[in-house]
Amino acid sequence: MDRILIRGGRRLSGRVPISGAKNAALTLMPCAILTDEPLTLRNLPRLADVDGFGHLLNQLGASTAVEGARAGEFGRVMTVRAGRIASTEAPYDIVRKMRASILVLGPILAREGRARVSLPGGCAIGNRPIDLHLKALEAIGAELEFTAGYVEARAPSGGRLPGGRFAFPVVSVGATENALMAAATARGTTLLENAAQEPEIVDLCRCLVAMGARIDGIGTGRLEVAGVDRLHGATYAVMPDRIEAGSYACAAVVTGGDLMLAGADPADMGATIAGLRQLGATVEEGPEGLRVAMEGRPRPIELSTAPYPGFATDMQAQFMAALALADGASVLTETIFENRYMHVPELARMGADVRVSGRTAVVRGVGELTGAPVMATDLRASMSLVLAGLAARGETQVARVYHLDRGYERLEEKLGAVGADIERVSDG
Ligand code: EPZ
């Protein structure tokens, strides 16, 4: 198993190219199921989860052709063609490894009038039920049954979904995505209220519209989808990854560095940028992307995660690593997931002073962190350990880096190019 070794204390400076967004890619890829024509996705990040989704699409009968990026370039182009759906089932063996697989449920049901998808089960950061996915699909006309750990969904008499209206009691990114994809080819109109407004949802809507869908209210919490008879193929570029960009912004903060996050879109990063400025970073928005520079210790701040446009839960752990070095005490509140502080005991091994009580973490800044062997537990937690390692005196060894590979494309290369002393070692 691979580990990442970081010898910290170096100031980072230079240009970091931002890849396409993982969380957009994972909802754009299943759109290919909605048409028998090719969907070409540009700027697709090279990530384990994207590869996993490609395998799932192959399993359903779709072909996936990848054009390799030129040497030194990031991302790639993938053309997915679901000319014929060979299977309407997403098996447990794939779904248990990648929760996002649930995002084929709506598209398969819309395309074939029936679908069988394994229930995803638990996750390190929380229970993560899918009840809202199912309720939204039922509201659009799906009939559901549960057998042996699977949900079996059917459209009335195996035909097209009629459409309907659903008000989400809680904002859910995934459930909004599933409902949108299912509604695009429904016989009637679908109204989704209190829908998620994340930039990845906007990216999904734009891709569906490029395929011929009719959606009103894009970017708001009220989405109206007028179902169309069929969708056609398209070529679409995945949006830049705002969470990857925010993570590297924190790398500039913890090393007192100066980084140009090339290709980042500041328009998608309002709350993150506000947080960076609050803790004392200089943030410049420009045509090339986002420049983030830091001098001195971060200032302590108070932050609470929330659905977009609030502060992203996917940035909480990275900010905690920065605030572990702040000149005072900060308060973080995690409102989205009930178990998203797995990084705290690992940061404590490096000398951080964090007290968690329920959903709230009090982070008392320390003057210095010290390198240590630490264990990654989930994607964003592992990035917070890398950030702490970049700042720490001595060597940090991050184990279980497969968590990182799920969401960060060629991390060591990107950090090494701006001055980090970082390498990946394999224990065979
Ligand atoms: C997406 O997960 C992202 N994943 C997550 O990013 C992100 O943390 C999350 O949205 C919130 O922004 C992808 O896009 C692949 P939700 P998702 O449905 O769709 C509850 C990362 O690090 N809920 O918005 O699963 C749920 O338990 C990952 O890249 C229900 O109760 O998140 C949670 O508390 C981690 N019932 C809240 O809603 C449901 O049916 C928000 O979850 C669905 C969700």
Side-chain angles (χ1 to χ4, degrees):
M1 229 195 276
D2 290 6
R3 282 173 300 136
I4 284 185
L5 305 185
I6 307 163
R7 286 163 282 273
R10 292 188 171 198
R11 179 178 180 275
L12 302 188
S13 71
R15 185 179 179 281
V16 179
I18 298 304
S19 298
K22 167 183 82 82
N23 291 346
L26 296 180
T27 189
L28 296 179
M29 291 173 78
C31 290
I33 299 168
L34 293 168
T35 175
D36 56 7
E37 294 180 17
L39 174 65
T40 297
L41 295 173
R42 313 190 72 80
N43 197 34
L44 202 67
R46 287 166 189 258
L47 298 169
D49 276 9
V50 170
D51 294 341
F53 218 104
H55 296 320
L56 173 56
L57 291 172
N58 296 149
Q59 145 94 30
L60 300 172
S63 64
T64 48
V66 175
E67 288 163 42
R70 277 189 289 277
E73 271 190 6
F74 292 91
R76 58 195 161 172
V77 178
M78 180 189 281
T79 298
V80 187
R81 178 146 199 198
R84 198 179 65 79
I85 298 295
S87 164
T88 56
E89 178 171 318
Y92 174 64
D93 208 38
I94 295 183
V95 177
R96 74 182 171 79
K97 292 188 201 119
M98 185 183 58
R99 303 183 56 78
S101 314
I102 192 72
L103 294 176
V104 299
L105 177 59
I108 300 175
L109 177 61
R111 170 84 182 259
E112 297 292 306
R114 61 193 166 83
R116 183 167 193 267
V117 173
S118 168
L119 298 171
C123 167
I125 64 176
N127 288 338
R128 300 184 78 176
I130 59 157
D131 57 319
L132 298 176
H133 294 242
L134 304 178
K135 287 189 183 123
L137 291 175
E138 273 181 325
I140 303 176
E143 296 151 8
L144 304 177
E145 267 178 54
F146 299 89
T147 52
Y150 281 74
V151 54
E152 305 224 3
R154 279 180 188 284
S157 48
R160 283 170 66 187
L161 291 165
R165 176 187 180 140
F166 187 67
F168 290 93
V170 174
V171 170
S172 161
V173 171
T176 301
E177 292 166 343
N178 243 329
L180 272 171
M181 291 187 280
T185 56
R187 241 179 311 107
T189 296
T190 296
L191 178 61
L192 301 174
E193 291 168 299
N194 197 28
Q197 302 176 43
E198 270 63 8
E200 294 75 19
I201 302 273
V202 173
D203 217 30
L204 170 63
C205 289
R206 290 185 179 144
C207 180
L208 288 170
V209 168
M211 296 171 71
R214 291 172 44 207
I215 306 175
D216 282 336
I218 297 176
T220 75
R222 190 177 187 281
L223 295 169
E224 193 160 349
V225 187
V228 296
D229 292 346
R230 65 181 297 277
L231 294 179
H232 50 73
T235 295
Y236 191 81
V238 180
M239 61 174 273
D241 197 320
R242 62 192 173 104
I243 307 296
E244 185 200 25
S247 304
Y248 287 117
C250 289
V253 170
V254 297
T255 63
D258 184 344
L259 294 177
M260 167 49 77
L261 310 172
D265 185 352
D268 294 336
M269 300 175 65
T272 298
I273 292 172
L276 290 166
R277 288 184 171 139
Q278 258 186 293
L279 54 74
T282 308
V283 182
E284 287 166 24
E285 307 176 22
E288 199 195 350
L290 204 63
R291 181 173 172 198
V292 180
M294 186 74 190
E295 277 175 27
R297 291 176 70 178
R299 288 196 290 262
I301 62 175
E302 284 205 21
L303 269 182
S304 201
T305 64
Y308 192 88
F311 184 81
T313 171
D314 294 348
M315 282 304 305
Q316 177 256 101
Q318 299 92 312
F319 265 66
M320 185 183 283
L323 295 171
L325 293 159
D327 190 7
S330 304
V331 180
L332 292 179
T333 307
E334 175 53 60
T335 70
I336 307 287
F337 292 107
E338 61 275 18
N339 188 30
R340 203 163 203 183
Y341 287 132
M342 306 273 274
H343 39 289
V344 169
E346 299 300 312
L347 288 173
R349 292 174 48 73
M350 302 176 72
D353 178 353
V354 185
R355 315 274 164 91
V356 173
S357 146
R359 298 268 183 142
T360 302
V362 176
V363 186
R364 286 191 176 76
V366 296
E368 187 181 57
L369 295 173
T370 315
V374 289
M375 186 82 75
T377 49
D378 63 80
L379 171 57
R380 308 304 171 183
S382 39
M383 190 58 188
S384 84
L385 303 179
V386 169
L387 292 168
L390 290 170
R393 183 167 48 76
E395 183 177 278
T396 297
Q397 298 177 28
V398 184
R400 296 192 184 164
V401 292
Y402 56 82
H403 287 292
L404 277 166
D405 295 337
R406 303 188 60 168
Y408 293 95
E409 184 175 3
R410 288 155 54 192
L411 175 103
E412 313 92 87
E413 216 177 297
K414 291 191 182 185
L415 285 171
V418 291
D421 182 350
I422 183 168
E423 62 176 312
R424 178 182 294 240
V425 291
S426 175
D427 300 336

